[in-house]
Amino acid sequence: MGVDKGDTEDAGWDVDPEDEQGAAVLAALGRQLRAWRESAGLRSADLGTAIGYGEDLVRKIEAGKRIPRPEYLDKADEVLRAGGRIAAMKADVEPIRYPKKVRDLAKLENRAVEIGAYRVHGLHGLLQTESYAKALFEMRQPAYGQDEVDRYVAARMARRSFFDRQPAPSLCIVQEEATLRRRIGGTMVWRGQLERLLEVARLRHVSFQVMPLDREVHAGMDGGIEVLKFGDGAALGRSDGAFGGRPVSDPRQLQVLELRYGMIRAQALTPLESQGFIEELLGET
């Protein structure tokens, strides 16, 4: 099999420099892959040719500098006749495929029994479609490389497992009207995103509200807010306009955020009115 340039470039992601634990896992994985290759009497270039990837990528993965995609491990397992032992390493790699800060956020979301958020700019990550998320990441400046875009989009989509939990956690989100009117990614992407919002907003454990532009003043003028509550009674919150934007867990500080968020919800459209608002936006195109 010849080496395909596209496969070579798309075969894995760079290691997150802030992820020490992930780097240790990849270093151990790389040593095992190299041992399997050498035991089979193959050079890096030989293995790359056999599985359809470049020699440079093989070397990076064996050096623990590149995260292999699942299909890379499947192909290596077959060529090296590992009997499923290399393919089994996919379970070790899966948790570190995404940036550490995204994994940490997903862990918090999956522990939470209640999430309350007010968003000023982009839609909350849990609500985004893949196309919408991709358009957002492609707009970042300085520009992300395509590899980074793909990685962040995949991580954001993985967070949607939040909606599969049983019992379902409570999700309450208030979005500024402007975030719903801005056609991120173009009209078709925007319409798909609005349709996804309606789908989520109709779930029994979700409360979705719109803060209309005609509110002259409201309690969210200082910026976004997010509060996560956990089953053990603990909570974690953050707001752009309070406590220097740092995450807080002190009950007195959380009380400030919850008071502000409660006022925001009271000043926004009701959930039913908000669904009607989205339907009207869809009817405008």
Side-chain angles (χ1 to χ4, degrees):
M1 179 187 298
V3 176
D4 181 272
K5 185 174 183 291
D7 282 348
T8 299
E9 293 176 345
D10 196 38
W13 287 314
D14 290 335
V15 181
D16 184 342
E18 298 180 1
D19 188 1
E20 294 182 3
Q21 181 179 359
V25 170
L26 288 176
L29 172 67
R31 287 193 295 271
Q32 292 182 60
L33 289 173
R34 180 176 179 178
W36 276 102
R37 175 179 59 76
E38 291 178 343
S39 178
L42 296 177
R43 298 173 303 168
S44 300
D46 298 331
L47 177 61
T49 299
I51 63 177
Y53 296 103
E55 178 184 2
D56 184 58
L57 179 68
V58 173
R59 290 183 179 276
K60 286 181 178 179
I61 289 175
E62 291 184 358
K65 296 179 180 179
R66 189 81 164 165
I67 303 172
R69 292 187 185 272
E71 54 269 26
Y72 179 99
L73 296 176
D74 286 335
K75 292 178 181 179
D77 188 279
E78 180 180 354
V79 169
L80 298 175
R81 299 180 181 181
R85 282 171 285 186
I86 291 178
M89 298 177 190
K90 291 185 289 187
D92 299 314
V93 175
E94 179 61 27
I96 58 174
R97 288 182 62 205
Y98 310 122
K100 183 176 183 299
K101 62 181 180 181
V102 179
R103 298 203 315 269
D104 291 345
L105 174 59
K107 287 179 182 178
L108 289 173
E109 289 175 340
N110 285 322
R111 278 183 51 213
V113 296
E114 180 181 336
I115 295 178
Y118 162 63
R119 297 302 301 268
V120 182
H121 298 298
L123 292 172
H124 193 285
L126 288 173
L127 305 178
Q128 293 176 15
T129 65
E130 183 172 354
S131 297
Y132 183 94
K134 184 172 185 289
L136 281 179
F137 285 119
E138 287 178 341
M139 292 177 184
R140 292 289 179 93
Q141 294 296 328
Y144 284 167
Q146 192 58 50
D147 183 81
E148 290 178 290
V149 170
D150 292 344
R151 188 179 191 187
Y152 276 102
V153 170
R156 183 153 294 179
M157 292 302 98
R159 286 169 57 193
R160 287 171 57 168
S161 62
F162 172 89
F163 292 102
D164 299 328
R165 287 172 50 195
Q166 294 296 332
S170 173
L171 180 64
C172 303
I173 294 182
V174 181
Q175 287 279 166
E176 277 289 338
E177 177 181 339
T179 64
L180 304 180
R181 290 192 176 277
R182 183 167 291 115
R183 301 191 180 194
I184 301 294
T187 298
M188 295 308 295
V189 169
W190 174 72
R191 281 189 61 85
Q193 179 61 75
L194 292 182
E195 289 167 355
R196 170 63 179 169
L197 283 181
L198 271 181
E199 178 186 335
V200 173
R202 290 168 177 158
L203 297 174
R204 287 182 296 172
H205 62 287
V206 173
S207 172
F208 181 81
Q209 295 177 257
V210 176
M211 180 64 76
L213 290 172
D214 63 9
R215 297 293 191 264
E216 294 181 4
V217 176
H218 63 77
M221 300 302 289
D222 279 343
I225 295 175
E226 186 148 10
V227 177
L228 289 78
K229 297 182 179 180
F230 308 107
D232 60 1
L236 184 68
R238 194 189 76 81
S239 174
D240 298 331
F243 314 116
R246 299 185 301 275
V248 298
S249 57
D250 180 88
R252 291 170 296 181
Q253 295 174 321
L254 286 168
Q255 188 175 29
V256 171
L257 299 186
E258 291 195 63
L259 173 63
R260 187 178 298 174
Y261 183 61
M263 294 177 66
I264 289 170
R265 292 195 67 190
Q267 293 166 323
L269 299 179
T270 67
L272 190 59
E273 290 170 338
S274 298
Q275 290 179 37
F277 177 84
I278 298 172
E279 290 170 348
E280 288 180 11
L281 282 182
L282 282 167
E284 293 177 4
T285 59

